[in-house]
Amino acid sequence: PEPSFFYNYIDLELDSIIELDFIGGEVTLHMDLVKEICDYFFYKCSLNYRLSLISQNARIILQSNGTTYVKNFFEQYGNRIVYPITIDGCRECHNLNRRYKNGAATFDDVDAAVKDYIAKYEIPDTKLTFVPSTFQYIKSSCEYFPKDIYNCFL
């Protein structure tokens, strides 16, 4: 029988791409729950031939600020993962927007996570956030993102 938990809501073709998009807050702080959801999804798909074909194209999107880099999750799910990291341009601009709870700047940790991800997987998407206090960094922040390293959206 066709599993109703998909078909009651979604009209899936065999070339459909399903995205499990985890956004809001910092999802990488809850990786046990994210892993449980992903494991459950792929398990349910494996029980049905048609869904198992569709799930081969499934992607897991982890929207992240990059401060909690989850290498072991990437190793398990490999090229299924899309990891858009918010890195707000050059060091000065990014550190005005993004700090740890203790006040420490996050740029170096996020930049290292991005470089590690690029070396192992793919060029990530990112987005830049500008607020009035960072407008002065728009040009230098855009120059920070070489086109061969980032797919960047302002």
Side-chain angles (χ1 to χ4, degrees):
E2 298 287 337
S4 62
F5 65 93
F6 282 120
Y7 296 116
N8 286 344
Y9 303 102
I10 304 169
D11 181 22
L12 296 173
E13 300 297 326
L14 287 179
D15 61 350
S16 296
I17 295 177
I18 297 172
E19 292 182 344
L20 303 175
D21 196 353
F22 296 92
I23 61 172
E26 180 51 40
V27 299
T28 59
L29 295 176
H30 307 283
M31 288 311 295
D32 289 342
L33 178 59
V34 170
K35 183 182 178 323
E36 188 175 323
I37 291 168
C38 292
D39 289 347
Y40 179 78
F41 168 77
F42 288 110
Y43 167 74
K44 287 301 234 180
C45 287
S46 74
L47 298 178
N48 176 278
Y49 177 73
R50 185 166 180 252
L51 285 178
S52 69
L53 293 175
I54 292 169
S55 73
Q56 292 174 15
N57 293 327
R59 293 187 294 210
I60 302 164
I61 303 172
L62 297 175
Q63 307 256 349
S64 177
N65 64 24
T67 57
T68 307
Y69 187 49
V70 288
K71 290 181 188 180
N72 59 339
F73 190 76
F74 294 133
E75 291 165 4
Q76 178 179 355
Y77 286 105
N79 63 359
R80 292 182 184 273
I81 297 175
V82 179
Y83 190 58
I85 300 173
T86 301
I87 185 166
D88 293 334
C90 65
R91 176 179 273 104
E92 297 80 16
C93 182
H94 178 87
N95 286 337
L96 283 173
N97 289 335
R98 312 284 175 176
R99 295 200 166 267
Y100 289 110
K101 284 184 179 181
N102 67 5
T106 64
F107 180 85
D108 291 335
D109 292 338
V110 174
D111 190 55
V114 169
K115 288 176 179 167
D116 184 72
Y117 181 76
I118 290 168
K120 294 178 181 165
Y121 301 102
E122 63 180 22
I123 296 173
D125 291 337
T126 190
K127 69 175 186 149
L128 282 71
T129 302
F130 292 103
V131 296
S133 63
T134 60
F135 286 168
Q136 64 184 324
Y137 297 105
I138 290 175
K139 183 176 187 291
S140 59
S141 291
C142 290
E143 290 170 349
Y144 170 78
F145 292 98
K147 295 291 184 218
D148 60 336
I149 296 180
Y150 292 94
N151 296 320
C152 182
F153 304 96
L154 291 175

